[in-house]
Amino acid sequence: MGMITLSNPSWQEATLLSNIFIDDYMPEANGEFVKVYIYLLRTLSNSPVSFSLEEMADRLLCTERDILRGLKYWSRQELLALDFTENRVLSNITILAPKKRSSSEEKAASETAAPEPKADPRSFSLTPDRVKELKQNEDMIQLLYIAEQYLGKTLSPTEIQKILFFYDGLGFSTDLIEYLIEYCVSRSHKSIRYIETVALAWAGEGISTVSDAKKANARYSREYYTILKALGITNRSPVETEITLMDTWLKTYGFSMEIIQEACSRTVLQTGQASFQYTDKILEGWKKKQVTSLEDVRALDAEHKKRRQDKKPQKQTSASNNRFNNFQQREYDFDEYEKRLLNQ
């Protein structure tokens, strides 16, 4: 009897994904990191294979730094083993089999899944070689050109350095940086300092895509109108100066909506009108007092009331309170006065 050959031409077009990965690892991972892991599995079908981070970044429509962060994340999760050269250049990737996690390991993994700390602009610096490399990048050339169109001027060296920091330091994609500049300019802010402030706020919130940024902006837009309503304003949109103040309360101070609404209520009660400046003074004072909840506000109220009571003068019933008694009385010697009258 002859041999029978069994074949499945479509099998090589499929990528196997472990159920353990889907159940225990994928839910807590960043979506971009999941893309990196699945792409590695896809590449395994031709194993062993060589590829560069640049090729992988082009295929996944992200940056090389995004790829490297994803690889390091999965290395911490013990799904990858990474080998580096003496110059800290990635040279080899080994995919490890996923292991079923215990509940304690899942808890530890969720803590590990927190976003990596972002670069501090005060400590981050680009080497001249890196600057030269980025300026030769086609995407970066296009981005700098678009930035000049939005800002309406030729970029200064400082502005170029900041944009390169958004890309290399914060790990923003060129699309996200373009949206960042568009967002700030649409609100009449062309200062690179303001743009950097927004960029750092986005990085702190873990925003890594244009979609994330749009969702965050939509959330803040809803909060703007909630604050306007708390001040009794219902028939208009916020103006730019008001948005700047509200951004300070929400993003810089980090106050919850209930604390801001409390400050708005006190503003209306005290002034009888919608005064953003008055509300800002209240919240600025609470920030200095390290207020984080309404309980902290009530504690400050109680402390203020006690100080006022302690300073209130005690009511005195002594005769010294009589203004006539307080008048400096003259002393007369009536006997001597009578003798003088008799001798006249």
Side-chain angles (χ1 to χ4, degrees), residues 26-267:
M26 190 175 70
E28 295 167 350
N30 180 295
E32 296 296 314
F33 297 167
V34 174
K35 284 169 54 178
V36 169
Y37 182 78
I38 294 177
Y39 183 80
L40 290 177
L41 292 180
R42 164 67 180 86
T43 309
L44 260 186
S45 61
N46 299 321
S47 180
V49 64
S50 298
F51 62 92
S52 68
L53 293 183
E54 182 181 2
E55 293 171 346
M56 194 171 176
D58 289 342
R59 193 66 181 269
L60 297 181
L61 302 178
C62 57
T63 68
E64 293 180 38
R65 291 181 66 85
D66 293 334
I67 300 294
L68 196 54
R69 277 199 297 270
L71 294 175
K72 289 181 178 179
Y73 171 80
W74 293 121
S75 176
R76 292 195 299 272
Q77 303 304 313
E78 298 182 352
L79 291 184
L80 299 179
L82 306 179
D83 295 324
F84 294 86
T85 65
E86 294 181 357
N87 297 327
R88 301 303 299 163
V89 176
L90 182 62
S91 60
N92 185 70
I93 302 173
T94 303
I95 297 182
L96 308 176
K99 298 178 182 178
K100 186 68 178 175
R101 284 173 168 170
S102 64
S103 57
S104 60
E105 288 174 332
E106 289 179 358
K107 181 179 179 182
S110 65
E111 296 172 352
T112 307
E116 293 184 15
K118 301 298 181 180
D120 187 338
R122 293 168 296 184
S123 60
F124 181 85
S125 62
L126 289 166
T127 64
D129 289 341
R130 180 57 177 162
V131 171
K132 183 179 179 180
E133 177 188 350
L134 288 174
K135 286 184 175 181
Q136 293 174 348
N137 181 295
E138 288 296 329
D139 290 339
M140 186 57 61
I141 293 172
Q142 181 70 12
L143 174 63
L144 294 176
Y145 172 78
I146 292 172
E148 289 184 338
Q149 303 311 303
Y150 276 122
L151 299 178
K153 64 173 185 175
T154 301
L155 296 176
S156 68
T158 299
E159 290 168 331
I160 293 175
Q161 189 79 8
K162 293 295 184 183
I163 292 175
L164 296 182
F165 163 69
F166 303 155
Y167 182 80
D168 230 35
L170 298 182
F172 284 5
S173 66
T174 54
D175 288 341
L176 181 57
I177 298 172
E178 179 182 341
Y179 178 72
L180 165 70
I181 297 172
E182 176 190 349
Y183 170 79
C184 294
V185 171
S186 68
R187 283 153 180 77
S188 302
H189 289 291
K190 294 186 177 183
S191 163
I192 194 64
R193 179 172 293 183
Y194 181 89
I195 295 173
E196 181 186 27
T197 300
V198 176
L200 291 173
W202 286 4
E205 294 178 39
I207 292 173
S208 59
T209 65
V210 174
S211 177
D212 292 341
K214 289 182 176 179
K215 288 178 182 177
N217 294 337
R219 185 182 74 248
Y220 282 121
S221 294
R222 290 194 299 271
E223 292 176 340
Y224 293 156
Y225 285 100
T226 300
I227 294 172
L228 288 179
K229 185 177 179 181
L231 286 169
I233 302 172
T234 57
N235 57 351
R236 65 171 177 82
S237 299
V239 299
E240 199 59 40
T241 54
E242 294 169 346
I243 290 176
T244 300
L245 284 175
M246 290 188 286
D247 281 346
T248 300
W249 307 339
L250 291 164
K251 300 176 183 180
T252 305
Y253 293 167
F255 281 137
S256 65
M257 185 53 61
E258 63 178 1
I259 290 179
I260 296 174
Q261 286 176 307
E262 177 67 20
C264 292
S265 298
R266 296 184 181 210
T267 296

